[in-house]
Amino acid sequence: GAGVSQSPRYKVAKRGQDVALRCDPISGHVSLFWYQQALGQGPEFLTYFQNEAQLDKSGLPSDRFFAERPEGSVSTLKIQRTQQEDSAVYLCASSYGLLSYEQYFGPGTRLTVT
Amino acid sequence: AQTVTQSQPEMSVQEAETVTLSCTYDTSESDYYLFWYKQPPSRQMILVIRQEAYKQQNATENRFSVNFQKAAKSFSLKISDSQLGDAAMYFCAYRSASSGAGSYQLTFGKGTKLSVIP
């Protein structure tokens, strides 16, 4: 079966623009996580969903970041008024459930803000 | 809050030799999970091995094994018979075993870049 997919793979935005990053989890996976990976760093947690419910958004760095998963499947991470410090790889991961051991990661979206 | 530290930014190993990557962590919890993830240059992160804190026996997956020292809060990864395909970034990660907010996400170290020399 297909793994986690993310689109676009690369995104260049001018400072101040809004961007939307998409994640398609593995079919049947109810839990979905977003991580931000700055250059040369490990991924850092942003938010997670159980089905359509966003249960934890404590990692979102500012109110410019917004995530949704309206039908409990595809998720979108939106960043408003992008800043240079938002440049990073955004990783999406899914799992069967919150208690599942393994999170399956997508290839990420590399966002560059100029 | 939990922290994960990987003190080796880069490591190298000769093909067919053995290498050990280090990881230490800090937590006040007694039950948790530890993971090693591999991130090749294509960026897709894949799970290499996991360890449940309540298990005393060290986990093994083919050429990959861990040395889990709970009291020392140490979790190293040993790669035996290294292959060219093992070259990647390796991340150590922690996850709480408790339920509730803050328990389900992974906390990662900064990673170790492993090079394999032919």
Side-chain angles (χ1 to χ4, degrees):
Chain A
V4 178
S5 61
Q6 293 186 245
S7 60
R9 291 292 308 276
Y10 303 89
K11 177 70 179 177
V12 178
K14 291 187 176 178
R15 189 164 60 92
Q17 284 185 332
D18 298 349
V19 299
L21 313 180
R22 176 187 170 107
C23 172
D24 282 85
I26 293 172
S27 178
H29 280 194
V30 299
S31 299
L32 186 146
F33 300 79
W34 283 99
Y35 295 87
Q36 180 190 58
Q37 186 175 19
L39 187 64
Q41 303 293 316
E44 292 192 354
F45 167 74
L46 294 176
T47 185
Y48 67 72
F49 293 83
Q50 177 81 333
N51 295 304
E52 69 278 4
Q54 188 175 20
L55 300 184
D56 190 334
K57 54 182 181 179
S58 61
L60 295 177
S62 79
D63 58 8
R64 297 185 295 104
F65 286 70
F66 172 76
E68 60 182 6
R69 194 186 184 197
E71 298 179 358
S73 177
V74 170
S75 177
T76 303
L77 176 67
K78 297 179 179 177
I79 309 173
Q80 297 177 325
R81 305 181 302 282
T82 52
Q83 304 294 315
Q84 281 197 318
E85 60 263 29
D86 300 335
S87 295
V89 174
Y90 291 85
L91 297 172
C92 175
S94 70
S95 66
Y96 288 108
L98 289 177
L99 297 179
S100 300
Y101 292 132
E102 185 167 359
Q103 295 182 17
Y104 296 80
F105 284 81
T109 294
R110 180 181 295 280
L111 173 65
T112 303
V113 181
T114 61
Chain B
Q2 296 81 23
T3 59
V4 177
T5 302
Q6 294 180 250
S7 58
Q8 306 155 315
E10 296 188 25
M11 292 280 286
S12 62
V13 62
Q14 290 284 144
E15 198 175 1
E17 296 297 309
T18 296
V19 64
T20 298
L21 308 183
S22 301
C23 172
T24 59
Y25 58 94
D26 189 27
T27 183
S28 58
E29 299 181 319
S30 59
D31 200 11
Y32 47 86
Y33 306 105
L34 295 166
F35 306 85
W36 280 97
Y37 276 87
K38 172 184 178 182
Q39 189 178 44
S42 65
R43 294 205 310 274
Q44 195 127 15
M45 192 98 66
I46 56 174
L47 179 65
V48 174
I49 197 166
R50 77 162 189 268
Q51 174 79 42
E52 292 91 333
Y54 67 86
K55 290 186 177 179
Q56 292 187 337
Q57 187 171 6
N58 289 322
T60 299
E61 288 287 342
N62 301 314
R63 298 182 295 108
F64 299 87
S65 61
V66 299
N67 183 5
F68 173 49
Q69 302 289 328
K70 191 173 184 179
K73 295 181 181 175
S74 171
F75 182 61
S76 61
L77 174 70
K78 186 171 82 171
I79 306 174
S80 303
D81 185 26
S82 297
Q83 301 175 0
L84 295 178
D86 294 333
M89 285 291 291
Y90 286 81
F91 292 96
C92 179
Y94 171 103
R95 206 206 89 180
S96 172
S98 62
S99 301
S103 298
Y104 306 114
Q105 64 265 36
L106 296 167
T107 299
F108 289 88
K110 290 188 176 182
T112 296
K113 182 178 181 181
L114 178 66
S115 300
V116 179
I117 303 166

